[in-house]
Amino acid sequence: MPEFDLLIKGGTVATAADTFSADVAIKDGRIAALGHDLGSGSREIDAGGMLLLPGGIDAHCHIEQESSTKIMTADDFYSGSVSAAFGGNTTIVPFAAQHRGQSLRDVVDTAHGRAGPKCVIDYAFHLIVSDPTESVLGQELPALIQSGYTSFKVYLTYEMLKISDRQMLDVLSLARNHGAMTMVHAENDDVISWISERLLTRGYTEPKFHAVSHAQIAESEASRRAIDLARLVDAKLLIVHVSAPEAAQAILNARNNGLPIYGETCPQYLFLTAEDLDREGMEGAKFCCSPPPRDKAAQEVIWRGLTNGTFQVFSSDHAPYRFDATGKLNAGPNPTFKKIANGVPGLEVRMPLLFSEGVRKGRLNLNEFVALTSTNAAKIYGLYPQKGSIAVGGDADIGIWDPEWERTISQSMLHDNMDYTPYEGRTVTGWPRMTINRGRVVVEDDTLQVDRGSGAFIEREPAGDGTAALTAGTPLAPTGVFGADLA
Ligand code: DUC
Ligand code: ZN
Ligand code: ZN
């Protein structure tokens, strides 16, 4: 009788810390042993020439979520999670999004009702808080944090989502007191609407003006402000989807000053530019996301930020809206830039793109790749050490990667429910051949191997635990707010 359920032999294991050759033995969904001559498995996989990487954690994706303008994403939890699995992910953390007037608890129940019967890999939820009323701040949010929903996103822009600086302080100090992580969409709403109005009254309506209206200064100002608000109340803060060099610099400065500020960036800021929004006709709409892609120089700064301590997390911000009346063109075939649904897809290509252009081209090493695509998200969002590594006792979440597999991206090979990919025609080397989640082979031979609804909801620990090693530097002087007992 074999002692293990699964034995992966002959591969090279890479974690955020090490790269070593080892067999991986799996039993009851967990990693039981690492080493050589471990015994036998009911199933044995030859991973010669392959890399064994921790399953990807996509910690920022919008799946089966209504936007604030009531547009549903193209992916539900089935197509979204299948697509994620084919891209080497074993955990996704999408959002349970509150729209104004909604109870947070109801929003969470709805998200569970949508995900539970469909998700094929493991999942957790961040909250989106757009209406921090007394009952939300006083009861619902503390109770949800206590139940393991230990992170939430707030917006400083979008008419129906944005919160004021005062509300931001309420949310940050609550997060601080209850051990949660605040994630912020940092763009200055007034700057964007001021520029937008001027563009529209002058007849500048095409998709490319989306990037003009979402000026870099809108992002860097809001990022600096959010950092200062967090500093005022000694709270942790993670700035999501960073695109602008000055915003990246603000995060790095804060981190170098020892503040618990974290940064996330996404494929669209490494591989797309504002010129993509200027494609023929309405084609540019396919690239409209917020913040928008910038220019080549900004791409270089964002690349550097992946290895200089600015960014801890690399997520897709998968926000899938088809190029039709259900999505991008919901306001008609020729909408102004203001009416184009914001977002780009990227769940399935996030890791292969970064592997190919980052690891293979020498911009980051394999351990940095693992940290950015899995381990740091697990640590920051309270999933570690259950998720985010290949270690004895942890969940057996493993991507078996073929570092030489060259494929040209086309929408027809992807598994999401989209009708385009912004990365069409790009040749990418390095893809997962197999995805294993809690010991279950989810993807093999380019085929899904598991049932709908077989993913598990993962309850999380307080966010930010285990991330001490991610911050460095000398703490700034305390702000004194808490000395005065204003929390
Ligand atoms: N911007 C967001 O804030 N969320 C989803 C997609 C986007 O472009
Ligand atoms: Zn956002
Ligand atoms: Zn987003």
Side-chain angles (χ1 to χ4, degrees):
M1 179 74 177
E3 54 266 67
F4 303 115
D5 301 330
L6 190 58
L7 191 56
I8 309 170
K9 294 170 91 166
T12 300
V13 175
T15 67
D18 294 303
T19 307
F20 54 96
S21 121
D23 300 343
V24 180
I26 296 168
K27 192 164 177 57
D28 298 330
R30 298 201 173 166
I31 294 170
L34 292 170
H36 294 289
D37 304 320
L38 296 175
S40 61
S42 299
R43 177 170 181 198
E44 299 193 357
I45 295 169
D46 175 7
M50 300 286 139
L51 296 172
L52 308 182
L53 307 182
I57 299 174
D58 198 328
H60 186 159
C61 46
H62 303 269
I63 299 178
E64 207 166 336
Q65 184 198 316
E66 280 123 7
S67 73
S68 60
T69 51
K70 301 275 173 273
I71 304 164
M72 191 52 136
T73 54
D75 282 307
D76 68 6
F77 277 92
Y78 185 68
S79 59
S81 63
V82 170
S83 181
F86 275 86
N89 298 284
T90 51
T91 305
I92 47 175
V93 194
F95 296 90
Q98 181 201 35
H99 298 297
R100 293 203 184 122
Q102 291 182 322
S103 132
L104 269 185
R105 174 50 77 183
D106 289 351
V107 158
V108 168
D109 290 346
T110 300
H112 276 286
R114 289 172 176 173
K118 297 181 206 137
C119 220
V120 301
I121 56 173
D122 291 351
Y123 59 98
F125 295 113
H126 307 291
L127 309 173
I128 285 176
V129 179
S130 66
D131 200 6
T133 60
E134 252 179 60
S135 67
V136 164
L137 294 173
Q139 287 109 45
E140 287 201 305
L141 201 43
L144 285 165
I145 294 169
Q146 188 69 32
S147 314
Y149 302 89
T150 49
S151 50
F152 40 80
K153 182 177 176 189
V154 293
Y155 289 77
L156 301 181
T157 187
Y158 288 131
E159 195 51 37
M160 301 307 289
L161 293 172
K162 68 182 179 195
I163 63 170
S164 67
D165 290 356
R166 187 192 180 96
Q167 289 173 316
M168 179 76 175
L169 286 170
D170 284 340
V171 166
L172 283 166
S173 59
L174 183 145
R176 176 196 188 272
N177 291 343
H178 291 85
M181 176 70 79
T182 305
M183 306 154 74
V184 66
H185 179 130
E187 290 187 285
N188 180 312
D189 191 64
D190 282 330
V191 169
I192 294 166
S193 61
W194 188 87
I195 301 174
S196 299
E197 277 166 28
R198 275 160 180 73
L199 288 168
L200 292 174
T201 54
R202 286 159 178 78
Y204 300 123
T205 61
E206 298 96 310
K208 68 177 176 186
F209 293 108
H210 171 77
V212 177
S213 67
H214 286 248
Q216 296 205 33
I217 281 182
E219 184 184 345
S220 55
E221 185 282 330
S223 301
R224 287 188 290 260
R225 175 160 39 102
I227 289 168
D228 273 340
L229 296 176
R231 187 180 163 208
L232 184 74
V233 294
D234 297 336
K236 296 180 165 80
L237 178 70
L238 186 143
I239 303 188
V240 295
H241 49 49
V242 174
S243 72
E246 282 189 31
Q249 188 63 51
I251 294 168
L252 186 57
N253 290 347
R255 291 178 61 74
N256 285 339
N257 282 322
L259 296 173
I261 303 295
Y262 305 86
E264 175 205 76
T265 194
C266 315
Q268 46 272 38
Y269 308 121
L270 299 178
F271 302 108
L272 306 176
T273 68
E275 282 183 21
D276 288 306
L277 280 78
D278 193 18
R279 294 198 192 184
E280 193 67 23
M282 285 307 292
E283 283 287 302
K286 294 179 177 176
F287 303 86
C288 281
C289 58
S290 297
R294 307 293 184 184
D295 57 16
K296 287 272 171 210
Q299 283 184 345
E300 278 314 306
V301 173
I302 301 301
W303 270 111
R304 236 179 295 136
L306 293 173
T307 52
N308 73 4
T310 305
F311 301 120
Q312 294 68 53
V313 186
F314 183 72
S315 310
S316 67
D317 195 10
H318 182 77
Y321 299 108
R322 294 169 70 105
F323 191 59
D324 62 22
T326 68
K328 290 282 178 190
L329 307 179
N330 72 92
N334 258 310
T336 70
F337 68 86
K338 275 312 252 189
K339 299 256 157 110
I340 296 169
N342 279 203
V344 291
L347 263 177
E348 196 163 338
V349 294
R350 168 186 77 116
M351 292 174 77
L353 280 169
L354 189 67
F355 186 90
S356 187
E357 291 299 310
V359 178
R360 289 193 62 99
K361 299 220 168 135
R363 286 163 150 148
L364 42 128
N365 66 39
L366 199 47
N367 312 103
E368 289 165 334
F369 174 81
V370 170
L372 287 161
T373 56
S374 178
T375 313
N376 289 349
K379 288 181 174 176
I380 287 171
Y381 296 123
L383 292 161
Y384 192 81
Q386 182 183 356
K387 304 288 188 191
S389 190
I390 295 181
V392 172
D395 283 357
D397 291 346
I398 299 170
I400 302 184
W401 282 68
D402 180 347
E404 305 298 333
W405 191 9
E406 183 184 293
R407 297 163 90 200
T408 301
I409 294 174
S410 72
Q411 182 54 33
S412 59
M413 73 191 236
L414 301 178
H415 299 80
D416 60 17
N417 193 31
M418 286 294 289
D419 55 358
Y420 78 92
T421 165
Y423 309 103
E424 187 77 34
R426 268 173 213 260
T427 298
V428 168
T429 305
W431 293 82
R433 292 268 183 199
M434 283 177 89
T435 305
I436 297 169
N437 172 216
R438 273 180 297 103
R440 305 171 307 131
V441 175
V442 178
V443 174
E444 180 179 13
D445 294 334
D446 217 8
T447 312
L448 184 72
Q449 306 284 342
V450 296
D451 293 332
R452 283 171 89 90
S454 57
F457 173 69
I458 307 295
E459 263 189 41
R460 295 186 284 134
E461 299 293 322
D465 275 7
T467 56
L470 291 175
T471 53
T474 317
L476 287 177
T479 61
V481 165
F482 282 89
D485 197 20
L486 296 176

